[in-house]
Amino acid sequence: LWVLYDRVLRVAPDTAEAPDRDRFLLSKGHGPMAYYAILAAKGFIDPAVLPTFGRFHSPLGHHPDRTLIPGVEIGSGSLGHGLPMGVGTALGLRARGLSDPAVWVLIGDAELDEGSNHEALAYAGAARLDRLHTVVIDNQSATHGWSGGIASRFSAAGWSAVTVGGRDHEALHRAFTQPHPGRPHAVVAVVEPKN
């Protein structure tokens, strides 16, 4: 999240509603504290509100609410829906003739157990949604895997895909900014569980 918001995404508090902004969709909406911390560090929300997370009158719920938090694009919930929403967002931008905004979706490897993600990634590859990007956090929590790893599943569907260490900021930046003309782009960020 830090590399995306600090070095890649073209969105800021003063452009959070601009039509040509980049969009970030947090599909893993059940774990938003890192997201809230980034939004606070980048000026979208007041850092003083962070300790109120999850309290009754706090805007910082256990799932981000786009009506309460500036810069939040979707109200995420059930796993497996962020990537389909990203496909819809990319299609909507294309239909409006907006070719510059990038759409980034953060998903977890376990979300790939959901059929809606496979339908979305198959469609995105076939539709050549080259402004769509996904970051897959691979912490080996998926029920099943793929021969050749997660990136191979995206590649087979027509995506550009790369696997990098999820804690290596320079490798992430290179992966995020890798050219992928005519194809959506997936970055699989491998995060080994800490013992």
Side-chain angles (χ1 to χ4, degrees), residues 141-164:
S141 64
T143 303
H144 51 78
W146 295 269
S147 178
I150 292 172
S152 68
R153 175 64 181 94
F154 283 87
S155 295
W159 289 59
S160 164
V162 62
T163 301
V164 297

Side-chain angles (χ1 to χ4, degrees), residues 1-191:
L1 284 172
W2 181 255
V3 175
L4 276 175
Y5 271 89
D6 194 51
R7 299 170 64 184
V8 178
L9 289 174
R10 295 175 310 115
V11 65
D14 60 334
T15 62
E17 298 297 322
D20 62 346
R21 74 190 181 281
D22 288 345
R23 274 79 166 168
F24 173 78
L25 285 62
L26 179 69
S27 187
K28 295 171 57 78
H30 61 286
M33 273 310 295
Y35 187 35
Y36 292 150
I38 297 297
L39 292 175
K42 290 298 179 181
F44 289 88
I45 59 175
D46 182 352
V49 77
L50 292 176
T52 71
F53 169 69
R55 294 187 187 158
F56 184 72
H57 291 291
S58 174
L60 307 181
H62 293 281
H63 291 266
D65 186 329
R66 68 179 190 84
T67 66
L68 299 176
I69 308 293
V72 172
E73 296 285 347
I74 62 170
S76 53
S78 299
L79 289 175
H81 297 295
L83 190 54
M85 292 173 81
V87 168
T89 302
L91 285 171
L93 291 168
R94 179 186 278 181
R96 292 171 54 197
L98 295 170
S99 59
D100 286 335
V103 178
W104 287 84
V105 184
L106 178 70
I107 69 173
D109 58 343
E111 291 184 70
L112 294 174
D113 290 347
E114 301 287 344
S116 60
N117 273 317
H118 292 281
E119 293 173 6
L121 73 90
Y123 181 84
R128 301 176 65 82
L129 295 178
D130 60 354
R131 300 308 293 151
L132 177 65
H133 309 76
T134 189
V135 180
V136 183
I137 305 300
D138 181 5
N139 60 9
Q140 296 83 47
S141 64
T143 303
H144 51 78
W146 295 269
S147 178
I150 292 172
S152 68
R153 175 64 181 94
F154 283 87
S155 295
W159 289 59
S160 164
V162 62
T163 301
V164 297
R167 293 190 174 93
D168 183 336
H169 285 198
E170 291 309 314
L172 286 166
H173 183 258
R174 284 191 302 274
F176 292 162
T177 58
Q178 177 179 310
H180 53 94
R183 297 189 295 165
H185 186 55
V187 176
V188 179
V190 178
V191 180

